[in-house]
Amino acid sequence: MSRSFAQLARTEVKKKASVLVEKEPLETPPLEIHTLGNDALRQHARRISKVDETIRELTRDMLRSMYTAKGIGLAAPQVGINQQLLVIDIDHETPTTPPLVLINPEVITASASLDTYEEGCLSIPGVYLDVVRPSTVKVSFRDEMGRPRKMNVDGLLARVIQHEMDHLDGVLFVDRVTDHDGLDKELDDNGFKSKDVRSIG
Ligand code: NI
């Protein structure tokens, strides 16, 4: 095989493997996002044994649905897929910034220091409430190419990763809200039912 052909083949593989999609809302997103009360949100997601093109195509569809819903994170159980796959993009404004894809993520360490931050969720639209979580976490995961990775994260990214990882355990942010009166009101105002919360806060 000639060198130039090998280079071309590599470029082709790289292009195909990219999960970057247009960060524009679609009229018809490929996947429906389930909302609070749907049992799909309460399952424990299974580990992904092989990161292949099928997983990358699912990743692209999740991203398209996330961008359409104007979210910054989406977990596979939210679209009824019981697998340990998360997509995150905290920079919608820049079309070329690649999204973050986390497959089989695990928290290695979490800081003792805690932050309070207002969260929302594409599965509970309209509801925004304070949640307390560790300020920084170290996570391990596989990326969209199946490569093992580790990251130390803080700020908004630490917050989003922890929120999305909860989805893989069937946990929703409203379960962690400690202001139960505020929660009941927010849920009621947005057409959700308090009985669908499994409080751990
Ligand atoms: Ni969520």
Side-chain angles (χ1 to χ4, degrees):
M1 191 191 295
S2 76
R3 193 193 144 105
S4 59
F5 184 80
Q7 272 173 345
L8 186 71
R10 261 203 304 278
T11 311
E12 199 51 38
V13 165
K14 211 174 160 191
K15 200 173 118 199
K16 263 186 91 173
S18 168
V19 292
L20 188 61
V21 299
E22 272 198 51
K23 300 185 184 184
E24 296 296 325
L26 301 173
E27 237 173 81
T28 316
L31 300 164
E32 185 200 345
I33 299 173
H34 297 306
T35 54
L36 180 65
N38 188 306
D39 281 344
L41 297 173
R42 296 305 192 174
Q43 310 298 314
H44 281 259
R46 288 188 299 269
R47 286 176 72 81
I48 292 172
S49 54
K50 187 165 171 247
V51 180
D52 56 13
E53 190 51 29
T54 306
I55 293 294
R56 285 188 286 274
E57 195 48 43
L58 170 61
T59 300
R60 290 182 203 106
D61 281 347
M62 282 175 59
L63 284 164
R64 291 181 183 111
S65 296
M66 182 186 82
Y67 291 131
T68 299
K70 301 198 185 301
I72 56 174
L74 185 67
Q78 293 180 271
V79 294
I81 304 217
N82 196 25
Q83 293 190 306
Q84 294 184 14
L85 169 61
L86 311 176
V87 296
I88 291 172
D89 189 345
I90 58 171
D91 182 17
H92 283 211
E93 304 306 312
T94 316
T96 50
T97 307
L100 187 60
V101 179
L102 294 94
I103 293 163
N104 303 336
E106 287 177 31
V107 171
I108 303 168
T109 53
S111 64
S113 67
L114 305 172
D115 276 341
T116 302
Y117 202 94
E118 189 178 69
E119 295 190 21
C121 180
L122 293 180
S123 291
I124 319 168
V127 174
Y128 296 92
L129 289 157
D130 281 349
V131 179
V132 180
R133 296 187 193 267
S135 313
T136 66
V137 286
K138 184 176 184 181
V139 291
S140 69
F141 57 98
R142 289 188 182 270
D143 67 13
E144 66 272 22
M145 296 306 295
R147 293 174 294 220
R149 292 183 59 184
K150 284 191 181 123
M151 273 174 71
N152 280 302
V153 288
D154 61 10
L156 178 60
L157 190 54
R159 177 58 57 148
V160 179
I161 287 177
Q162 292 178 83
H163 172 117
E164 298 309 328
M165 283 185 69
D166 266 353
H167 278 295
L168 303 180
D169 295 325
V171 173
L172 302 172
F173 87 93
V174 287
D175 302 344
R176 296 190 182 278
V177 169
T178 49
D179 171 13
H180 295 126
D181 292 340
L183 175 60
D184 287 346
K185 185 178 182 312
E186 276 281 295
L187 290 172
D188 193 50
D189 285 352
N190 288 282
F192 294 105
K193 295 188 177 75
S194 297
K195 71 165 179 61
D196 291 321
V197 175
R198 296 182 186 177
S199 190
I200 50 177

